[in-house]
């Protein structure tokens, strides 16, 4: 990201719009109770920490623009309804291990 910031600075000198559009699902639909921790870590690092890293890598460039904007593009990946049969159904059917 440092190299990307340097390239933008050398080429344009400023950044009018920074679009954060990274998003991964981690594969097939997964339930919070069964998702592999490493898969979850990868998803969080990309979808949450990645946005912060990109924004932090270029703090001075938007300030040089007369009308800077940072746009975070959400997707269906963040929708619990689209990722499960329904969030309400899933909540009703969840039982911790050992509870019947």
């Amino acid at each position: 990201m440092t190299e990307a910031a340097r390239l933008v600075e050398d080429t344009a000198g400023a950044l009018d719009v920074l679009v954060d559009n990274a998003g991964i699902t981690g594969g097939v639909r997964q339930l919070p109770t069964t998702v592999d921790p490493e898969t979850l870590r990868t998803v969080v690092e990309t979808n949450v920490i990645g946005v912060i890293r990109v924004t932090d890598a270029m703090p001075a460039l938007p300030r040089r623009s007369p009308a800077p904007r940072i746009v975070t593009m959400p997707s269906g990946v963040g929708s619990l309804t689209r990722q499960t049969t329904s969030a309400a159904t899933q909540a009703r059917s969840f039982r911790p291990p050992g509870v019947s």
Side-chain angles (χ1 to χ4, degrees):
M1 278 175 265
T2 304
E3 287 182 36
R6 192 173 312 127
L7 177 65
V8 172
E9 184 170 21
D10 292 346
T11 305
L15 188 62
D16 295 328
V17 179
L18 172 62
V19 179
D20 290 315
N21 192 24
I24 62 172
T25 63
V28 297
R29 293 180 181 179
Q30 300 178 51
L31 298 174
T33 55
T34 60
V35 65
D36 174 61
E38 284 305 310
T39 299
L40 182 60
R41 182 182 319 278
T42 300
V43 170
V44 170
E45 286 177 356
T46 301
N47 298 350
V48 178
I49 298 168
V51 171
I52 295 167
R53 289 183 63 209
V54 168
T55 304
D56 285 350
M58 304 189 192
L61 295 173
R63 290 188 192 116
R64 296 181 189 153
S65 173
R69 299 284 182 264
I70 296 177
V71 179
T72 301
M73 299 290 294
S75 68
V77 172
S79 169
L80 287 177
T81 302
R82 290 183 181 172
Q83 299 303 316
T84 62
T85 52
S86 95
T89 300
Q90 192 173 20
R92 282 193 306 268
S93 64
F94 170 74
R95 297 221 184 344
V99 175
S100 53

